[in-house]
Amino acid sequence: MALIVQKFGGTSVGTVERIQQVAEKVKKFRENGDDIVVVVSAMSGETNRLIELAKQASDEQPVPRELDVMLSTGEQVTIALLTMALIRRGVPAVSYTGNQVRILTDSAHNKARILQIDDQKLRADLKAGRVVVVAGFQGVDEHGNITTLGRGGSDTTGVALAAALKADECQIYTDVDGVYTTDPRVVPQAQRLEKITFEEMLEMASLGSKVLQIRSVEFAGKYNVPLRVLHSFKEGPGTLITLDEEESMEQPIISGIAFNRDEAKLTIRGVPDIPGVAFKILGPVSAANIEVDMIVQNVAHDNTTDFTFTVHRNDYQAAQQVLEDTARELGAREVIGDIKIAKVSIVGVGMRSHAGVASRMFEALAKENINIQMISTSEIKVSVVIEEKYLELAVRALHTAFELDAPARQGD
Ligand code: ADP
Ligand code: ASP
Ligand code: MG
């Protein structure tokens, strides 16, 4: 008998019919004798709908605390519906909000971090033979304020519960049957991976693959939670996220391609090329609480240089303002910006033992006439910034160049 935490995402609980199907699935696991804790997301589209409502009621940005009070309702609806569907099937079950479990978080509204989980109530319910259904994406801070964990945060609730309960496995059920070499919505030839290492999955998630929230992967790695991504309604082994690097080494050099359109680029031109200038430019940006991702400083010419960096698109305007002030102070020539950029990254632990991976990437992009604006590398990834309109072309070209395409099926 195993203890399994099962998380069902938004599309999997998007209608009452689907919730009935989820209940059927949970029932089967119970009949096998497993103890089950279920974590659910809000119905698909619900969190977006609530955010829209909040914007309509607010002047600019909704007050973060109040936004959390509202967003947490999405998951509160689905835990109750699923629990009703289970009870209807004769499966004893009980639902809890994050607050009721006591999923304690810090007070960073809209992006809170889980600090501690009280497992007493859950263990008592499991012992009494009940399925426990917990609201994903939400917690409570030490003052009793409702918090949420950032978009996609139900994954993190699932993994954190699995860690707290020392579950045998955390299963993330979604609308794809595993982690693919890249987003199958963009590249139909993408292939499901049998396994991917935590390290690679962490890179994939942080570079834009939203199949798992990055914090859930961090948690799973830190507490060694066996984690699997599976399709909610189709049978199959899914993808195991594993510590084991040995076998992955035999896989292709590149495990996957991630991309995102969430960044914007800013350039300050004609800044004096003197010590401390990078700090003078980025110091005020970080003081404004804006995270910087990629950075490029050009070779100086006439004792001045150009300095380019990327930020999240949501921070673009704020960063631009900060930079305009800095430009005046430093006597820089101008500030220019571009939000129509995208970042494409290739990821794989195999890169450690292979040379020439980056140049192969650049060659594939050159063949498609795609200009590279910025580059950054780490031990297991290479990222480039390109014009947004070439994103899909770039991902497809790289997928083919690194031999990740699934063999063509008959009739294709
Ligand atoms: P859920 O609502 O179940 O949490 P998400 O929409 O958050 O589902 O995540 C699943 C989606 O992630 C898929 O439908 C797919 O389009 C997208 N995705 C992006 N990159 C990948 C990848 N490498 N492998 C699988 N799915 C991916
Ligand atoms: N409902 C939340 C969201 O849409 C959390 C989640 O689905 O994981 O981001
Ligand atoms: Mg998700």
Side-chain angles (χ1 to χ4, degrees), residues 121-383:
K121 224 187 273 182
L122 308 187
R123 285 194 193 279
D125 282 311
L126 291 172
K127 206 166 164 204
R130 284 187 279 269
V131 170
V132 187
V133 184
V134 179
F137 178 56
Q138 57 179 263
V140 62
D141 76 359
E142 57 174 339
H143 309 293
N145 298 302
I146 295 173
T147 54
T148 64
L149 309 179
R151 298 309 304 270
S154 300
D155 296 335
T156 303
T157 307
V159 176
L161 279 171
L165 292 165
K166 300 193 177 56
D168 295 290
E169 188 162 282
C170 180
Q171 303 173 340
I172 305 285
Y173 287 98
T174 182
D175 57 4
V176 269
D177 63 350
V179 177
Y180 275 64
T181 46
T182 192
D183 190 339
R185 286 189 214 185
V186 170
V187 181
Q189 296 85 0
Q191 300 190 66
R192 182 177 59 83
L193 299 163
E194 279 294 320
K195 283 183 175 187
I196 182 168
T197 66
F198 281 113
E199 205 185 1
E200 289 169 321
M201 194 61 236
L202 208 54
E203 287 283 7
M204 290 282 281
S206 76
L207 295 167
S209 297
K210 292 184 178 118
V211 59
L212 285 174
Q213 198 201 32
I214 178 163
R215 281 191 192 158
S216 71
V217 188
E218 278 169 7
F219 244 103
K222 190 165 164 197
Y223 296 100
N224 205 1
V225 177
L227 183 61
R228 199 181 279 278
V229 176
L230 302 131
H231 197 289
S232 298
F233 306 119
K234 289 185 203 154
E235 291 301 316
T239 300
L240 183 69
I241 325 292
T242 160
L243 274 176
D244 166 20
E245 197 169 300
E246 249 30 76
E247 286 186 38
S248 314
M249 298 288 269
E250 289 159 23
Q251 288 174 359
I253 309 162
I254 299 306
S255 295
I257 301 172
F259 53 86
N260 81 45
R261 300 179 171 88
D262 299 340
E263 291 185 27
K265 186 178 80 166
L266 283 156
T267 302
I268 178 166
R269 300 188 57 197
V271 283
D273 184 34
I274 48 170
V277 77
F279 174 63
K280 283 200 174 119
I281 294 167
L282 293 183
V285 176
S286 95
N289 231 333
I290 298 169
E291 260 182 62
V292 170
D293 181 26
M294 286 163 91
I295 302 171
V296 171
Q297 183 178 336
N298 292 11
V299 174
H301 175 68
D302 294 338
N303 294 324
T304 70
T305 186
D306 299 342
F307 193 93
T308 305
F309 58 92
T310 63
V311 295
H312 196 280
R313 269 191 205 180
N314 294 344
D315 292 327
Y316 175 67
Q317 263 156 3
Q320 195 174 26
Q321 259 165 23
V322 171
L323 206 57
E324 295 281 2
D325 292 343
T326 308
R328 265 190 299 279
E329 228 169 85
L330 294 177
R333 201 160 52 242
E334 63 176 341
V335 169
I336 49 176
D338 186 357
I339 58 165
K340 293 201 169 129
I341 59 159
K343 183 165 79 170
V344 182
S345 311
I346 53 173
V347 175
V349 288
M351 262 187 231
R352 288 201 182 109
S353 50
H354 287 81
V357 178
S359 64
R360 199 161 147 194
M361 177 186 200
F362 304 153
E363 184 189 12
L365 296 173
K367 272 193 189 147
E368 298 295 340
N369 245 326
I370 298 171
N371 191 34
I372 299 172
Q373 303 178 3
M374 299 172 88
I375 300 168
S376 87
T377 64
S378 81
E379 223 186 352
I380 65 159
K381 73 118 203 274
V382 183
S383 302

